[in-house]
Amino acid sequence: MKEHYTGTATNRVDGRAKVTGEAKYAAEFEVPDLLYGVVVNSAISKGKITRIDTSAALALPGVHQVFTHENRPGYTWLDSHYQDEDSPPGSPFRPLYNNEIKFSMQPIALVVADTFELARYAALLVHAEYESQPHETDLEANLPKAYKPKKYKSPPPSDPRGDAPGAFAAAEVKLEEAYAHPAHHHNPMEMHASIAIWQESGKLTIYDKIQGVQNSQKYISNAFGVPQEDVQVISPFVGGAFGSGLRPQYQLFLAVLAAKELKRAVKVVLTRQQMFSFGHRPFTIQRLAIGASADGKLESISHNAFAETSRFEDYNEDVVIWPGVLYNCENVEVSHQLVGLDVYTPLDMRAPGGTTGTFALEIAMDEMAYKLNMDPVEFRLKNYTDKDLNKDKPHSSKELKECYRQGAERFGWAKRKMEPRSMKEGHQLIGWGMAHGAWEAQQQEAAAKAVLSPTGKLTVSSATADIGTGTYTVMSQIAAETMGIALEDVTFELGDSTQPKSPLEGGSWTVSSVGSAVKLVCEKLQEQLLKLAQKMENSPFSDAKIEDVSFENGQMFLTQAPATSISLQAILAQDEGQPLEAEASQKPDKKQKNYSSYSHSATFVEVKVDEDLGTVKVTRIVSAVAAGRIINPKTGRSQILGGAVWGIGVALEEHTVLDHTIGRFMTHDLDKYHLPVNADVHETDVIFVEEKDEIVNPLGAKGLGEIGIVSVAPAIANAVFHATGKRIRELPITLDKLM
Amino acid sequence: MRPFTFTQAQNVDTAVREVSSDGAKFIAGGTNLLDLMKIDVMQPSHLVDITQIALDTIEETEAGGLRLGALVKNADTAYHELVETRYPLLSHAILAGATAQLRNMATDGGNLLQRTRCYYFYDTHTPCNKREPGSGCSAIKGYNRDLAILGTSEHCIATHPSDMCVALAALEATVHVTGKSGERAIPFADFHRLPGDTPHLDSNLQPDEIITSIELPAQGFARNYTYLKLRDRASYAFALVSVAAALELEGNTVKEARIALGGVAHKPWRVPEAEALLQGQTASRENFQKVAEAYLQGAQGFGHNNFKIELAKRAIVRALEKATKMEATA
Amino acid sequence: MHTENSPGTETAVRPLLPETRTVTLRVNGTSHQLQLAPWTSVLDALREHLHLTGTKKGCDHGQCGACTVLLDGKRINSCLTLAVMQENKEITTVEGLAQNGELHPVQQAFIDHDAFQCGYCTPGQICSVIGMVNEGKAKTLDDIKDLMSGNICRCGAYVNIVKVAQEALEKNTGL
Ligand SMILES: Cc1cc2nc3c(=O)[nH]c(=O)nc-3n(C[C@H](O)[C@H](O)[C@H](O)COP(=O)(O)OP(=O)(O)OC[C@H]3O[C@@H](n4cnc5c(N)ncnc54)[C@H](O)[C@@H]3O)c2cc1C
Ligand code: SF4
Ligand code: FES
Ligand code: FES
């Protein structure tokens, strides 16, 4: 019997390392003679440093150096040398470049000392004087200055289809509203950290918190003019990232700078407060105009987004693609404009654009459903599309209808009364709401290497990451199943820049990209195994082609004559006990080009809202997800559960508040920036709807990192409306907005 | 964190002597002091560890009350049998605050002296009169969602963040302290200060004084009480508004009412005249609403926190309803 | 003695650094003698001095619970206490839970229920579940959720963490 590892709920293969504390995160590697760096940040949000006095810090015994713009070595200062795989168009921020301050909390110095405590103290003694210039951080106040970027980071918003304004004017039922999504910070539990180790040879070994070691490797190589082969970046475990690790953050640059200059090993760990000093999900205002016929057919959608970006890079994300993906409407017009502010460049954060765009679109659609007096699911079914209308291509698979059906059934949606405020229990108003969402299933080129040892142990590697998504486990499952060997006999290695090339871990594409490469490399090994077996004397496989053989239980056999079999170990014994090696790179298949591929979700939510006090409790969530093949239902379910928790945070809690008087984020710690806690989370149900997809990639899997979050926040907001009759269009929905 | 010297005191006298040097501070649980030292908001040059001093018991007093040693942990206080049965309001208030971990560390004395959670107080790069007298108050015109609506001054609108203290105010506890000039007892209402033009002073405790105990009077309101805490998430968040409500009822008539508000002022907020409105009245929503109106007389919002005025009123009504069991106590 | 250090004004004065002293920490049943200044937290002593990095730093300010360890069986945030104040106490970290290579039942339950993703909050969550069982105050599901709220999980593994906690309470798997 063939063991089916994929599709089977499997415990994490790195679970033991994580529950015993053995798993080492970036800051935790034991390095001899380590120095500690602590970053000093700017007090002002815009202007110039007029004086920076480091003498008091340097006077402390044990302080090795204080790096500032005045004494930093003269490295390359070309923009392109600071761009990384996730850079938006523009001129990347360069730490300690000059005396110019571009955003509040900008790093202005790095203190390096013998111990962490000493460096932390010395950092307090660095004295900076500034000349402030007027700053602008207020998106709303600066909306008139919005512009269309010359170059978009993601594909530019699609051209108009049909005549949206005309159809809107003629529509029988109309909605015109604005929606505000505040700035958020990723706040993975592990703070960003790097250890840079300088070696006599001039080589650098670096431990970094990053979602792609090769991105850090290239960045450091370019920025410091060190050949790529002399930079090794290692990151076996990442304590969450959610996008914050897509770009190398400034602690990496500073650690390397200090290590090179001091010819030592230097560790720089950001503080939780400093986790608010770089990329964030941008504050975005969206204006939606929707028109429909009286019987609920969508006639027109205009979706226009205005988002903040920094003065130096044009960050944008896919906020306005969702009408074309989710709704059948002939007249659609979308735009995405930016407002340059004195803040750091925004940065992709879990389901970038999807979270923001779906929130607005799905609340607006709920509003339409109410104007039309139509059940929200029925309204969506009426305007269902089989095609991705942005690209005018069919979906490679789309089981969204099944998500509605199964989700609604599990939730008991049929019992819902349309009127708001129709359910009550004591002081608690009860509301039911729903929303749906999508996330693109992408595949990127990725490579993997496989080594099969004479004892039958398989080691597969690729320079990808596991940020909690289960990469170690899922790749091991794919390899074990493809090779037909036991899961225990497979080791998957990742997070080392010397491994085969892998894309950044993001956008939910790791399983499809790296997983496909893992499958391919195992198939290559199989071809080699067959060839080896054919070299045996009187080989029963001598005429066999690779299509004729199968691999199961550590054996290769003729598919038509299973009795003709040989163990992999026996084959390898042929080769004088040499391990067998293969490397392979997998690109997206051409046939994908004719299709669009998205995972989909429908989320149903129950909330209880206190009629006097405005407190909201999300008592029930049912998330039905169609995402192709689920390689590991156990870790996959965890991804969706985590997405639901994120949805609660987005809907009710998270908000990085900017004080525009000083141009500074003020909720810059975990006391003031509220992440959901255990007591915020109640019944949460995940349904994986079966979805067959032979086009999306060789695995048929679409990825689960983002689809779990997108439809949760709007479903909560819609449930709050159903409970209270109050439509909140500005997140988070805090109690004051409901009183 | 700046360097400091460190000693451990074995008794109250040594502690008081050692804290007399300039820049010296006691450290108990450390949960507030170390937090603030790490971000340079507090800069003591000497720490006197008082956790070895035998002030860690809860004892009954002759007056029929309880004496909580200053070094008893918040968790041990909340779960103490006598506190749970005779002062459940206090138990509930403590358990509404912080987390299991923090309550295992935090001491009763330290809880009284925890400092405000004002955003700007916590960020040394912004002006703040409490942290740096005379530098200005960033919150008044800045972001002030969490800040005070009652008893504010033009110099500071910070709140006292404790939950425990709100219950202690309602229970009319007494704080016992010892300093160089001996012992004294401070009624709870006089322990904390309003900001006025000295916002850097949170309490009337003198720098050389140590809290030795907190005394609870006999009356515990164990039958009709509620601690209602409203916050931005279900746990592990400071109060936007909290209400400690305690009633003595005779049938449906209020004999005595105690109401203290948290999250709205520089100290737990009591308005005895407003409480008196309930005396001899029936426990009804209407009467509760009257009290709530009276309680918030003179409240002033600063923009982001305007909602607290109405929220506090509704919270008072709800808390009183719960306390009278017009609604089951949660 | 210590000279007040207002930034930038003390270039001539060399401020004194705190003197180190020998501090004996008992961690997972072993006594360790460390040369520490009073400003070293238990968390930094564990991570930087003893290289016991299983205990995590997620905020350094008592705001996340990643640094949770057991002190004489009860949970505390090791970031907010000084090492010099915890001599002669029994500190248990995640590294001290497995016995002879056999995982503590709560550790095994975290794997079986997939009660983590990135794993960074996990050592704190595990110590917290064990502490919660030891402390004996959780009776209902709501109690569990509240008493486990001192451990933030940004990956959002709460639903599964609660399952582990319920199981640990039922089986009384404390320390
Ligand atoms: C993230 C977080 C969340 C929190 N949430 C809440 C909450 O929701 N509600 C709540 O009420 N609290 C909350 N707290 C605060 C916590 O309750 C206090 O930090 C704690 O009570 C302080 O006690 P301690 O013993 O640790 O004090 P320490 O930090 O040791 O000391 C605090 C101050 O009191 C002084 N001091 C201590 N003991 C004495 C004494 N006996 N005599 C004289 N001076 C003394 C010290 O010198 C210091 O100035 C929270 C704390 C944190 C970190
Ligand atoms: S309210 Fe008080 S604590 Fe806050 S900034 Fe103003 S002075 Fe400082
Ligand atoms: S690191 Fe101690 S609570 Fe966050
Ligand atoms: S598992 Fe990642 S923070 Fe909890």
Side-chain angles (χ1 to χ4, degrees):
Chain A
M1 258 295 289
K2 173 136 180 138
E3 278 276 4
H4 282 286
Y5 289 111
T6 68
T8 305
T10 307
N11 285 348
R12 278 172 209 264
V13 297
D14 52 340
R16 194 183 168 95
K18 283 177 176 172
V19 302
T20 53
E22 277 158 26
K24 291 235 180 278
Y25 299 82
E28 300 177 345
F29 288 85
E30 204 176 326
V31 175
D33 298 322
L34 185 62
L35 297 178
Y36 292 79
V38 167
V39 180
V40 183
N41 300 78
S42 161
I44 64 163
S45 52
K46 187 175 184 161
K48 284 190 164 52
I49 303 172
T50 52
R51 191 170 88 92
I52 186 153
D53 181 355
T54 59
S55 54
L58 285 167
L60 291 172
V63 172
H64 289 252
Q65 183 55 288
V66 181
F67 294 98
T68 70
H69 64 279
E70 289 180 347
N71 67 356
R72 56 124 179 116
Y75 291 120
T76 168
W77 298 101
L78 279 179
D79 276 350
S80 62
H81 288 175
Y82 291 83
Q83 260 146 359
D84 65 85
E85 283 178 49
D86 194 40
S87 287
S91 166
F93 171 69
R94 287 157 285 181
L96 312 186
Y97 179 47
N98 59 17
N99 68 345
E100 224 181 293
I101 301 295
K102 295 168 186 262
F103 56 94
S104 193
M105 290 179 81
Q106 174 177 325
I108 59 166
L110 179 78
V111 179
V112 185
D114 281 333
T115 66
F116 161 63
E117 291 89 342
L118 182 59
R120 178 175 63 184
Y121 168 44
L124 294 175
L125 303 184
V126 173
H127 176 73
E129 286 168 21
Y130 307 89
E131 188 186 291
S132 281
Q133 286 159 12
H135 60 264
E136 284 168 343
T137 52
D138 190 343
L139 174 68
E140 276 168 298
N142 288 285
L143 277 182
K145 295 184 191 157
Y147 61 91
K148 291 194 172 139
K150 279 196 218 83
K151 240 173 104 185
Y152 283 89
K153 178 170 182 274
S154 50
S158 342
D159 293 334
R161 277 187 285 123
D163 171 18
F168 183 75
E172 290 164 302
V173 180
K174 297 180 203 192
L175 173 94
E176 232 181 326
E177 285 294 350
Y179 303 82
H181 192 300
H184 286 170
H185 278 78
H186 306 68
N187 281 305
M189 290 319 294
E190 180 202 18
M191 297 170 295
H192 276 253
S194 307
I195 302 177
I197 306 160
W198 180 87
Q199 282 145 12
E200 288 291 340
S201 58
K203 289 192 178 179
L204 287 161
T205 306
I206 299 166
Y207 299 99
D208 189 29
K209 177 186 174 84
I210 191 77
Q211 289 173 254
V213 277
Q214 289 164 337
N215 194 23
S216 293
Q217 179 196 27
K218 265 175 274 166
Y219 171 78
I220 289 303
S221 162
N222 288 335
F224 289 91
V226 184
Q228 257 187 51
E229 53 277 18
D230 288 352
V231 182
Q232 185 183 10
V233 181
I234 301 170
S235 186
F237 290 98
V238 179
F242 316 106
S244 69
L246 287 173
R247 300 185 71 180
Q249 300 302 352
Y250 64 76
Q251 91 288 341
L252 170 68
F253 180 91
L254 294 173
V256 171
L257 183 149
K260 275 197 82 211
E261 288 306 298
L262 301 172
K263 303 197 182 322
R264 291 284 298 264
V266 179
K267 163 152 101 180
V268 182
V269 184
L270 297 187
T271 62
R272 179 53 64 184
Q273 290 80 354
Q274 287 165 342
M275 291 297 289
F276 292 81
S277 65
F278 56 92
H280 55 279
R281 198 195 291 282
F283 181 18
T284 304
I285 294 168
Q286 297 170 69
R287 295 191 185 135
L288 273 140
I290 303 177
S293 63
D295 65 349
K297 175 80 197 68
L298 284 170
E299 308 280 8
S300 169
I301 306 176
S302 302
H303 189 172
N304 302 298
F306 302 84
E308 51 162 338
T309 189
S310 66
R311 301 272 187 203
F312 43 95
E313 284 170 316
D314 280 341
Y315 172 86
N316 85 298
E317 50 189 22
D318 288 334
V319 176
V320 295
I321 65 170
W322 309 107
V325 173
L326 292 170
Y327 292 100
N328 187 6
C329 176
E330 277 164 23
N331 304 295
V332 175
E333 196 176 81
V334 302
S335 74
H336 189 116
Q337 296 189 51
L338 303 179
V339 177
L341 297 174
D342 299 304
V343 296
Y344 193 84
T345 311
L347 173 61
D348 294 326
M349 180 165 165
R350 198 164 188 183
T355 302
T356 305
T358 314
F359 138 72
L361 181 64
E362 286 301 281
I363 295 179
M365 288 301 172
D366 200 63
E367 298 195 54
M368 281 303 284
Y370 272 90
K371 281 182 188 268
L372 292 157
N373 196 24
M374 251 176 115
D375 174 77
V377 176
E378 206 180 300
F379 176 55
R380 284 169 176 83
L381 279 171
K382 173 134 192 161
N383 295 286
Y384 193 85
T385 171
D386 284 319
K387 263 187 172 178
D388 173 357
L389 296 165
N390 291 328
K391 299 178 187 159
D392 196 24
K393 285 179 191 173
H395 281 280
S396 59
S397 61
K398 180 174 177 181
E399 294 294 345
L400 178 58
K401 279 186 185 161
E402 210 32 43
C403 292
Y404 298 145
R405 200 188 63 73
Q406 293 187 26
E409 191 181 294
R410 179 82 58 92
F411 187 84
W413 184 259
K415 286 192 266 187
R416 181 179 185 267
K417 278 200 220 104
M418 187 78 185
E419 315 89 87
R421 298 183 80 92
S422 53
M423 293 187 283
K424 200 172 164 188
E425 202 182 86
H427 286 294
Q428 306 298 311
L429 300 165
I430 301 172
W432 289 359
M434 66 82 60
H436 65 191
W439 187 257
E440 192 167 12
Q442 290 163 296
Q443 187 187 351
Q444 316 264 339
E445 182 173 357
K449 181 180 167 179
V451 179
L452 187 61
S453 80
T455 52
K457 305 269 184 221
L458 177 67
T459 306
V460 186
S461 57
S462 178
T464 179
D466 189 333
I467 57 173
T469 39
T471 314
Y472 278 112
T473 312
V474 167
M475 298 307 152
S476 301
Q477 288 174 271
I478 293 170
E481 174 149 333
T482 315
M483 284 307 289
I485 59 175
L487 189 63
E488 299 73 57
D489 288 334
V490 179
T491 307
F492 185 74
E493 292 173 348
L494 52 72
D496 184 330
S497 58
T498 59
Q499 290 159 340
K501 192 173 155 21
S502 160
L504 284 168
E505 183 178 45
S508 296
W509 58 55
T510 301
V511 169
S512 63
S513 311
V514 181
S516 299
V518 167
K519 185 163 188 266
L520 183 66
V521 80
C522 289
E523 287 163 0
K524 279 204 169 174
L525 272 188
Q526 292 173 339
E527 285 170 24
Q528 293 185 29
L529 283 164
L530 177 61
K531 277 195 195 130
L532 266 183
Q534 288 171 335
K535 282 196 214 150
M536 293 165 74
E537 239 173 279
N538 300 326
S539 172
F541 297 96
S542 48
D543 296 329
K545 299 206 180 57
I546 191 72
E547 305 84 73
D548 303 333
V549 293
S550 299
F551 292 78
E552 278 171 32
N553 301 322
Q555 308 273 323
M556 181 178 80
F557 59 90
L558 290 175
T559 314
Q560 298 303 329
T564 310
S565 74
I566 180 170
S567 77
L568 303 190
Q569 270 154 281
I571 303 177
L572 285 161
Q574 287 302 297
D575 210 15
E576 292 167 350
Q578 289 294 310
L580 212 52
E581 273 189 37
E583 215 171 313
S585 178
Q586 177 73 272
K587 270 191 224 168
D589 193 296
K590 281 204 195 72
K591 73 179 172 203
Q592 289 174 21
K593 290 226 168 69
N594 304 322
Y595 294 87
S596 199
S597 287
Y598 282 83
S599 51
H600 291 89
S601 68
T603 302
F604 298 81
V605 166
E606 176 183 274
V607 298
K608 291 190 178 164
V609 184
D610 191 290
E611 59 179 344
D612 299 325
L613 306 172
T615 48
V616 181
K617 180 171 173 182
V618 180
T619 45
R620 219 146 53 85
I621 297 180
V622 175
S623 241
V625 173
R629 231 174 132 232
I630 309 300
I631 308 280
N632 188 343
K634 192 167 204 165
T635 56
R637 178 173 171 270
S638 291
Q639 290 269 301
I640 305 302
L641 288 174
V645 174
W646 272 65
I648 294 173
V650 171
L652 306 178
E653 299 176 9
E654 292 187 44
H655 185 187
T656 329
V657 179
L658 244 164
D659 176 339
H660 298 304
T661 321
I662 52 177
R664 195 173 176 86
F665 286 118
M666 286 314 300
T667 47
H668 50 43
D669 62 27
L670 294 186
D671 165 23
K672 298 173 176 78
Y673 185 91
H674 293 129
L675 301 172
V677 295
N678 204 316
D680 290 319
V681 179
H682 302 282
E683 239 184 279
T684 316
D685 234 337
V686 178
I687 300 169
F688 285 123
V689 168
E690 198 174 309
E691 188 175 69
K692 286 219 164 57
D693 194 323
E694 313 217 304
I695 295 155
V696 61
N697 56 52
L699 298 164
K702 288 180 176 172
L704 295 168
E706 345 272 328
I707 188 61
I709 170 174
V710 287
S711 52
V712 180
I716 293 173
N718 294 340
V720 166
F721 172 77
H722 187 235
T724 63
K726 289 198 178 116
R727 188 61 79 176
I728 310 300
R729 302 184 184 89
E730 189 181 347
L731 296 180
I733 306 173
T734 44
L735 52 75
D736 44 304
K737 294 178 183 158
L738 294 173
M739 276 171 46
Chain B
M1 194 185 296
R2 291 171 194 262
F4 56 86
T5 47
F6 176 84
T7 50
Q8 286 176 315
Q10 304 300 330
N11 54 52
V12 170
D13 288 346
T14 354
V16 169
R17 208 171 329 116
E18 298 217 348
V19 88
S20 301
S21 71
D22 225 17
K25 278 250 155 224
F26 296 125
I27 181 163
T31 59
N32 190 233
L33 187 58
L34 292 174
D35 173 24
L36 293 169
M37 284 169 69
K38 285 183 192 187
I39 48 169
D40 208 30
V41 172
M42 305 265 285
Q43 308 172 342
S45 54
H46 180 67
L47 287 187
V48 183
D49 175 2
I50 54 174
T51 56
Q52 317 273 322
I53 305 175
L55 294 172
D56 57 349
T57 52
I58 294 181
E59 282 155 18
E60 293 186 79
T61 62
E62 280 171 19
L66 274 191
R67 192 188 312 280
L68 314 173
L71 290 163
V72 181
K73 300 280 162 41
N74 284 178
D76 295 334
T77 308
Y79 294 125
H80 194 278
E81 208 196 316
L82 291 177
V83 179
E84 277 185 328
T85 50
R86 285 162 52 183
Y87 306 92
L89 174 63
L90 180 60
S91 276
H92 282 229
I94 293 174
L95 294 176
T99 64
Q101 286 93 318
L102 287 161
R103 296 190 296 263
N104 280 340
M105 308 170 77
T107 62
D108 290 350
N111 194 307
L112 268 51
L113 293 168
Q114 63 175 297
R115 310 209 63 192
T116 185
R117 308 299 291 202
C118 170
Y119 317 94
Y120 303 92
F121 179 71
Y122 263 77
D123 185 339
T124 53
H125 286 312
T126 62
C128 166
N129 286 326
K130 186 180 273 301
R131 189 169 20 77
E132 212 183 314
S135 62
C137 170
S138 299
I140 290 176
K141 293 215 168 79
Y143 184 56
N144 48 42
R145 182 166 200 273
D146 288 1
L147 303 193
I149 49 170
L150 286 161
T152 55
S153 78
E154 56 181 323
H155 303 290
C156 180
I157 60 169
T159 59
H160 192 266
S162 167
D163 291 296
M164 181 183 183
C165 290
V166 183
L168 291 175
L171 293 169
E172 298 190 345
T174 304
V175 185
H176 292 278
V177 308
T178 304
K180 269 193 293 198
S181 44
E183 296 177 13
R184 63 183 181 121
I186 310 173
F188 206 81
D190 300 333
F191 186 80
H192 295 103
R193 297 165 59 98
L194 288 181
D197 52 12
T198 53
H200 59 292
L201 300 176
D202 298 345
S203 77
N204 289 313
L205 193 76
Q206 296 305 304
D208 66 298
E209 284 179 323
I210 184 171
I211 300 176
T212 51
S213 68
I214 299 152
E215 189 183 333
L216 302 173
Q219 196 182 9
F221 299 93
R223 262 169 44 99
N224 293 97
Y225 69 91
T226 284
Y227 188 73
L228 176 67
K229 180 174 181 179
L230 300 170
R231 45 186 155 179
D232 279 329
R233 61 183 175 194
S235 188
Y236 208 177
F238 286 93
L240 292 164
V241 167
S242 71
V243 184
L247 297 172
E248 283 296 336
L249 293 175
E250 225 171 56
N252 203 25
T253 307
V254 178
K255 272 181 64 193
E256 189 175 359
R258 301 267 184 87
I259 301 164
L261 300 183
V264 295
H266 204 253
K267 60 191 285 190
W269 195 254
R270 286 213 32 213
V271 186
E273 312 83 74
E275 285 170 353
L277 293 177
L278 270 181
Q279 217 161 356
Q281 304 296 311
T282 42
S284 68
R285 192 175 168 96
E286 237 179 11
N287 285 331
F288 295 160
Q289 275 163 340
K290 276 188 209 143
V291 180
E293 285 300 327
Y295 243 87
L296 272 294
Q297 280 272 311
Q300 182 199 354
F302 293 86
H304 300 98
N305 68 350
N306 292 353
F307 74 94
K308 280 191 176 188
I309 300 173
E310 180 60 26
L311 183 64
K313 290 181 193 171
R314 296 185 187 187
I316 291 172
V317 173
R318 178 66 61 80
L320 289 168
E321 279 179 356
K322 283 191 165 200
T324 48
K325 316 238 164 83
M326 286 165 69
E327 189 182 276
T329 305
Chain C
M1 272 308 303
H2 160 72
T3 325
E4 190 52 42
N5 300 301
S6 74
T9 57
E10 57 183 339
T11 46
V13 197
R14 171 174 289 209
L16 285 181
L17 291 177
E19 271 174 40
T20 61
R21 59 174 77 189
T22 309
V23 178
T24 309
L25 284 186
R26 271 190 71 74
V27 184
N28 302 328
T30 311
S31 284
H32 301 269
Q33 303 230 316
L34 296 170
Q35 267 319 115
L36 294 179
W39 62 9
T40 299
S41 66
V42 168
L43 177 60
D44 289 331
L46 291 170
R47 283 173 67 85
E48 306 300 338
H49 296 265
L50 290 170
H51 303 292
L52 287 172
T53 52
T55 307
K56 305 301 182 197
K57 186 184 278 190
C59 69
D60 217 12
H61 288 277
Q63 301 166 356
C64 76
C67 65
T68 303
V69 299
L70 300 170
L71 187 78
D72 293 337
K74 290 189 177 175
R75 327 171 240 185
I76 64 157
N77 302 99
S78 62
C79 68
L80 285 187
T81 188
L82 298 173
V84 286
M85 291 174 72
Q86 303 302 350
E87 285 188 298
N88 311 316
K89 308 257 176 67
E90 196 59 55
I91 298 169
T92 308
T93 72
V94 72
E95 289 95 341
L97 297 175
Q99 297 297 325
N100 308 320
E102 177 121 3
L103 296 181
H104 185 283
V106 171
Q107 288 175 307
Q108 187 59 48
F110 263 79
I111 297 177
D112 295 340
H113 289 287
D114 204 40
F116 54 88
Q117 293 175 38
C118 77
Y120 198 78
C121 72
T122 312
Q125 303 275 7
I126 291 172
C127 288
S128 200
V129 169
I130 295 174
M132 184 192 74
V133 174
N134 286 349
E135 290 154 20
K137 300 299 175 191
K139 307 282 181 242
T140 65
L141 180 60
D142 281 343
D143 291 345
I144 292 176
K145 288 181 187 173
D146 188 50
L147 292 173
M148 283 303 296
S149 281
N151 294 82
I152 294 181
C153 175
R154 181 49 151 167
C155 296
Y158 298 126
V159 170
N160 294 340
I161 293 169
V162 166
K163 286 217 190 95
V164 173
Q166 281 176 307
E167 198 176 288
L169 275 179
E170 275 161 31
K171 299 187 182 158
N172 195 23
T173 46
L175 207 57

